[in-house]
Amino acid sequence: MASRVCLVHYHEIGLKGNNRARFERILMDNIKAALAAFSVATITRISGHILVTFSVSGEAERAFPLIAKVPGVARVSLAFHTNREPGEYCAAAIKALEEFGEFNSFKVVARRSNTDYELTSMDLNKQVGEVLCNAFPDKKVLMKGCDAQVHVLVVQGSVYVYARSERGVGGLPQGSAGKVVTLLSSGIDSPVATWLLARRGAVPVPVHFSGRPQTADTSEYLCQDIIQALAPCVQVGRLYVIPFGDCQREISIACPSDLRVIMYRRVMYAVAERIAQLEGAKALVTGESLGQVASQTLENIMAVNEVVDIPVFRPLIGSDKQEIIARAEQIGTYDISTQTAPDCCTLFMPRRPETHAKLDEVHAAWEMFDHEAMIQQLVDAAEYIDFSAPTYKPPRCMRERHDELEIRYQRKSAEGKLRSLF
Ligand code: ATP
Ligand code: MG
């Protein structure tokens, strides 16, 4: 009797030479973490694929679409696992084609990974092809441009047969690149930017600036919802929250109103850079898209960027809003991002923000408040909340036991609030 398994295909990690074994190990760990709610029996490597087996029937079918969303997965197939008996794998081929859905034409693609099997790939193609032609007499065999492909893969004593196969999100396994700090609002763009970096193998550490105590904390909960929507395929281990409302008020009183937004942003970048240093993150990530709103002109981006030394990645800089929305829908964050919540972006906004900031005016405004003290104060007031994410490792200084820190953590968490960082 054939059992159901998932066969995971990956391209890019195959290109990485000596790193290949490491990348495969990370990908297997991430698939295991993404399938924590399933009864996974084994995750192993076979002949350029990763094989996932389950101990409960019906789970392979349910896990199949989830595996497609794990970064590093190029394609996943829902296969039948049989022995080498032709009767077994030919019956599996019929079932595989039956479950494929609508089709008019098909072909068989057979491959054997070891040559101790007496039939060659050509023999297998012919043998399985004949059985399928008999089982589906009104369907055509087409070598080019067919609707369905029935794959037959012989690996040692086993045969894997599948027709249902779904394209994965691609990219690289998360954790194969280093950490990045992402500036996460609860808007549409920054969750997409965060996801894009995770798909390239980075471990995103989001920092959210809340309008608290000048606004409610709704945006903080939306950010948590966004992180949970990305899980379990994309892992985020920790969300930092910076209550920014009082500082925004101070800036709005001290600085010319048209430059407020740039001042808020400069402070946000500087605080995020400090968190990046603490976390050992090598870059910041934002959801900016050129010209999308007043603050995202080239001049304004430059006026904000100059406060940090660390690279700032803007993966959406050349994307149109419609493209970003389509991606947000695909990754499951759109509906959360369209819920309105006051955050620091809606607080103390000027009626006419500067769209083409002049650097000398920006520098003068920057000196109108004690920005160094403010940045330090915000870093000291940072709070965080942890999520289950095996790829995320907290900074070393926060892993070591430190009595005073421990006491503070306990006091904060006992109140049911986010934990205080310092
Ligand atoms: P988003 O949809 O990501 O909020 P946006 O189109 O609303 O983006 P802005 O409000 O100008 O654009 O923000 C630009 C970027 O600055 C955001 O994509 C995000 O990376 C960062 N950012 C904005 N607000 C916050 C916030 N409250 N906390 C953290 N980062 C923020
Ligand atoms: Mg926003």
Side-chain angles (χ1 to χ4, degrees), residues 243-401:
F244 192 32
D246 285 344
C247 291
Q248 282 184 274
R249 184 161 184 276
E250 198 182 320
I251 293 171
S252 71
I253 294 166
C255 301
S257 76
D258 57 342
L259 292 173
R260 269 181 214 167
V261 178
I262 290 172
M263 296 301 121
Y264 302 156
R265 288 283 147 86
R266 284 170 70 105
V267 172
M268 283 162 65
Y269 271 46
V271 171
E273 184 181 47
R274 299 279 278 275
I275 301 222
Q277 282 161 357
L278 173 85
E279 282 280 348
K282 306 267 183 323
L284 302 184
V285 180
T286 79
E288 286 158 314
S289 162
L290 189 60
Q292 193 189 81
V293 289
S295 60
Q296 295 174 19
T297 59
L298 284 177
E299 290 85 346
N300 287 14
I301 288 174
M302 190 173 149
V304 173
N305 206 112
E306 63 168 11
V307 296
V308 292
D309 294 323
I310 192 170
V312 181
F313 297 149
R314 299 176 179 84
L316 303 177
I317 198 72
S319 299
D320 281 348
K321 195 76 188 182
Q322 286 313 315
E323 292 165 347
I324 303 171
I325 288 174
R327 182 67 87 180
E329 283 173 333
Q330 182 212 337
I331 64 174
T333 55
Y334 182 74
D335 289 344
I336 304 166
S337 295
T338 45
Q339 293 174 39
T340 46
D343 72 352
C344 70
C345 297
T346 50
L347 193 62
F348 304 118
M349 287 306 274
R351 241 197 266 142
R352 236 178 264 135
E354 177 60 69
T355 50
H356 299 281
K358 288 173 199 67
L359 278 183
D360 51 347
E361 291 172 11
V362 169
H363 294 158
W366 191 234
E367 298 308 325
M368 289 174 186
F369 63 104
D370 189 348
H371 54 262
E372 269 311 319
M374 182 181 285
I375 292 161
Q376 187 57 47
Q377 184 193 329
L378 288 167
V379 172
D380 290 345
E383 300 169 3
Y384 67 88
I385 181 163
D386 284 342
F387 301 84
S388 158
T391 57
Y392 171 75
K393 304 279 176 288
R396 197 171 289 280
C397 66
M398 295 171 80
R399 267 183 264 163
E400 287 162 2
R401 266 194 77 85

